[in-house]
Amino acid sequence: MKTKDLVLIALFAAIIIVLGFIPPITLGFIPVPITAQTLGVMLAGCILGAKRGALACVLVIILVAAGLPVLSGGRGGYAWLIAPTSGFLFGWVAAAFATGYIAERFVSRDGSTWQQLSGFFIAAVVGGVAVLYLIGVPWVSVVAGIPFSKALAGSMAFVPGDLIKAAVAAFAARAAYVGYPLLPARS
Amino acid sequence: MLTSLYVEGSSILHRIGARWKIALLFTVSVAVYLVDMWLLLASALAVAIALYSSVGLTAREALRRIAPALLTIFLLCALNAWFTTPAEGGQMALRLVTIVMIAAAVTASMTMADFMEALTAILKPLERIGLVNAADLSLALGLVLRFVPDIFADYQAIRQAHQARGLPLRWHTIIAPLIVLTLKNADTVSEAIDARGIRNLASTRETIK
């Protein structure tokens, strides 16, 4: 692995951690406060690409296991690896990978601003919402013994906030793409 | 700013090796799901409480660490009881609280050094295949910890710059500059690493010869 890749992965893991320090915001029409940390996961995929984004998430998970308070709200330790909501933590790896996979293929330097923004947005939604929930919700269902359909229905409350996050991720990713492009272009 | 959750002490858990603690944790996590006798589940919880109290945390700190998890467990088991039976919900609550307490107890009794040692041991087979490089992993983890305070300071500086200009604080205007600022460091940092030969790569060794 090139040293620069290793450094990028480590720096992005640090970004995901710092985003956890930002206090969650509550928007009037959404029942659940939105945290910035999963925004970092979407960005990892959009900016670093599939492999490096996923590895950044792996680093954060290892630090959680090491007993450091890196999850938003100062949470850390093994309790968060085997809790009912832990699927949403382990899912980060697949989510960043899926986001990166799509971003690598759908965003190109020749595209218009709008094309790039929508490419990043779709990547963030598919990875950060669809794939993440695909792992998180069954985990809740199994670990807490709740029927899958009910667990899924309950998780829907978080989707509006996550869509807003995906939009913010798209803007930030495009700004990074223009200012300091790192996304490998694959077809 | 990232203080470890480890607590100094000499309890039973402190004295067992890291690998045994991790093994204990995963064994218990699986075992409680295979049991549905109230007596066994209650005794498991009692043991978990005993272990967690022996670790050396004040009651307040001990509860603070697992409070969000307990809240989620309470809500989910209430839903469980609603959708299945109250008995099911109750048992699930016993299981989850047991697991969470033992996990928190293991975290509080394991230093980061012990954890890294256990992790290196677990990754040895992967290292042999060539999939993972333990030295690179340690370097990466060290870099993360090194840069979190710096990036947080940058975040605060960007926030203050917004406030000084009377701009409203919005995620999309703060996060993009933060990321570009952070990632631009990558070149300098990786050059510094290579210049010091920290990674001991074949390519850098050749150049030094």
Side-chain angles (χ1 to χ4, degrees), chain A residues 1-4 8 10-11 14 39 43 59 63 66-69 76-80 82 84 143-146 150 180, chain B residues 3-5 22 25 33 69 76 80 83 92 96 99 103 107 110 115 141 144-145 151 175 179 182-183 186-187 194 199:
Chain A
M1 173 178 290
K2 290 202 294 231
T3 305
K4 183 163 175 199
L8 283 171
L11 285 178
L39 177 60
L43 285 168
L59 276 185
L63 287 171
L68 291 172
Y78 289 106
W80 301 102
I82 47 178
V143 171
I146 297 180
K150 312 287 193 235
Y180 191 68
Chain B
T3 41
S4 158
L5 294 168
I22 297 180
L25 183 55
Y33 280 95
L76 290 174
N80 186 336
F83 292 126
M92 193 55 83
L96 293 174
I99 295 176
T107 297
M110 192 149 68
F115 170 77
L141 291 173
V144 177
L145 296 178
I151 298 175
I175 291 179
I179 292 182
T182 303
L183 296 181
D187 282 316
D194 285 338
R199 283 187 79 203

Side-chain angles (χ1 to χ4, degrees), chain A residues 144-146, chain B residues 36 38 77 80-81 84-95:
Chain A
I146 297 180
Chain B
D36 56 10
W38 286 94
C77 290
N80 186 336
T84 56
T85 67
E88 256 296 315
Q91 286 194 343
M92 193 55 83
L94 286 181
R95 288 189 189 110

Side-chain angles (χ1 to χ4, degrees), chain A residues 2-187:
Chain A
K2 290 202 294 231
T3 305
K4 183 163 175 199
D5 283 341
L6 191 143
V7 172
L8 283 171
I9 293 169
L11 285 178
F12 225 99
I15 288 174
I16 294 177
I17 294 175
V18 170
L19 288 177
F21 296 152
I22 301 180
I25 58 182
T26 333
L27 295 175
F29 48 92
I30 297 177
V32 177
I34 320 179
T35 59
Q37 204 160 45
T38 19
L39 177 60
V41 174
M42 295 174 183
L43 285 168
C46 286
I47 296 180
L48 292 183
K51 257 199 335 200
R52 294 180 299 188
L55 287 176
C57 296
V58 170
L59 276 185
V60 178
I61 295 176
I62 293 179
L63 287 171
V64 174
L68 291 172
V70 293
L71 292 181
S72 86
R75 297 172 291 140
Y78 289 106
W80 301 102
L81 299 183
I82 47 178
T85 45
S86 298
F88 288 100
L89 174 62
F90 291 114
W92 283 1
V93 182
F97 191 86
T99 301
Y101 190 87
I102 294 175
E104 283 167 7
R105 284 155 186 75
F106 280 78
V107 177
S108 70
R109 303 227 59 95
D110 322 316
S112 69
T113 309
W114 185 241
Q115 280 175 324
Q116 291 173 341
L117 278 176
S118 33
F120 281 128
F121 181 72
I122 293 172
V125 170
V126 170
V129 182
V131 170
L132 186 61
Y133 283 42
L134 220 68
I135 296 176
V137 175
W139 182 292
V140 170
S141 176
V142 167
V143 171
I146 297 180
F148 178 76
S149 52
K150 312 287 193 235
L152 187 62
S155 313
M156 289 297 111
F158 297 87
V159 171
D162 283 345
L163 290 178
I164 293 178
K165 269 187 256 187
V168 175
F171 278 105
R174 207 218 154 224
Y177 193 60
V178 165
Y180 191 68
L182 290 169
L183 192 66
R186 300 191 217 285
S187 43

